[in-house]
Amino acid sequence: MGKKIKSAITPTREQDYPGWYQEVVKASDMSENSPVRGCMVIKPWGYAIWENIMNQMDELFKKTGVKNAYFPLFIPLSYLEKEAEHVEGFAKECAVVTHHRLEPDETEGGLKPAGKLAEPLIVRPTSETIIGESMAKWTSSYRDLPILINQWANVVRWEMRTRMFLRTSEFLWQEGHTAHASREEAMERTLQMLDLYAKFVEEQLAMPVIRGRKTPSERFPGADDTTCIEAMMQDKRALQAGTSHFLGQNFAKGSGIKFQNEAGQEEFAWTTSWGTSTRMIGGMIMVHSDDDGLVVPPRVAPAHVVILPIVKKGGDNRPVLENAQRLKDVLEEKVYHGKPVRVEIDSRDIGGARGWDWVKKGIPVRIELGPRDIEQNSVFMARRDRPANAKESMNREDFISQITDILDHIQETLFNRAMAYQKENTFEMDDKNKFRKLFQKAKGYNNGAFVRAHWCGSDDCEALIKKELSVTIRCIPFDSPTEEGQCIYCDKASSRRVLYAKAY
Ligand SMILES: [Zn+2]
């Protein structure tokens, strides 16, 4: 009675949130640190989640007319320099290739770089400039526009402090790049892709997001406008889950993307770029997982169901193993959102640790199947959205016929839970002292809240808030109405609330 069930992950979220995160990643076997500082090894369980994200997102992109292409990993330094703000924004985190071979080092021994390049090459931190070079070549008339391109690739941004999935020096992403004949069309595309991201993240990753526009100081280097989606993690920090940029004519001018309009006059094109990365997986982990480990929403789960046949050492386990295989076959005939239900069988003879392994991997549904269940035509089911010890016996046929509904219900539960949490922890605030106190006290598991408060529009106020409280303006939410108010920092007049939070 009243016995506290020990959680599978140590430390718990409350004890040490960053430590908990590392343990969840490790215990789920998604990824591990690599010998290369700041880079990670994504293991099959983690990569399968990324594959599911890629496949589904790719389909959505293509429905809007976007086509995939591939551009070089290396960008000549002079390309990056074509847009002044852009090169300045990325200068501090560039990996630079300066040599192209190795030769024996006579003084130090071993090998040393040799064959100095005439022009250094940057390992792409993003590809606006090199894709812009191609777009310039492809565009001569308005008939060549729009160009709608996406690339699935890796990028490198030299980070000093890294955390798996959230911030790594090399990461996987997609970057979309489009060129248009008019400002309106480019702006429309910018918002269309943000909307696509928001829906994807909410529907597939079950992460509710706030859509908005970045302040000028938080814009992508070289963009005229940056829109974003922001999600609340369980420690109440914000995570930017995707961005879509309206680049105006800045990059078109830098790269010379010109076209003749219908009247025969030469004009610069209008471009956009938009991206999401493996960081979304970091967000998914932090939004849904608990003190027992990872929780994966069914829509992106590497597997939906694991069958755990009850095997006996030295016994004849063939009947139960064959029965488990039959159950797997029947379940795999079921279609979940256009794809077969994905089922694993784990017949390892390792006792209770087996069930816990799958809890920690976040698989949506676990099924125990023993001789007695087979005799009674039932299965013993546990759902990852419920406590680990909450198991229920179900009629086998009922389970089979309901599996896709069960998965949908888990998905819905995860989204609703995250949405309720975000709402509970989002406040409108007009009192300066309350604002300050909330964020001064914030640490560990409790990093304050999402606060909707006024901002006068000054870069200085924004910078001071960041410096004093480590709080940033995450975005100016699209749903924030025009209203009279005073800046939460300097009391000057403001016409709109912005979203303040601590962030990853
Ligand atoms: Zn102010």
Side-chain angles (χ1 to χ4, degrees), residues 456 461 487 489-490:
C456 62
C461 274
C487 176
Y489 190 82
C490 73

Side-chain angles (χ1 to χ4, degrees), residues 439-459:
F439 287 114
Q440 275 169 345
K441 278 197 298 187
K443 66 172 184 210
Y445 186 39
N446 188 353
N447 270 287
F450 275 13
V451 176
R452 285 175 182 251
H454 279 280
W455 172 54
C456 62
S458 121
D459 290 347

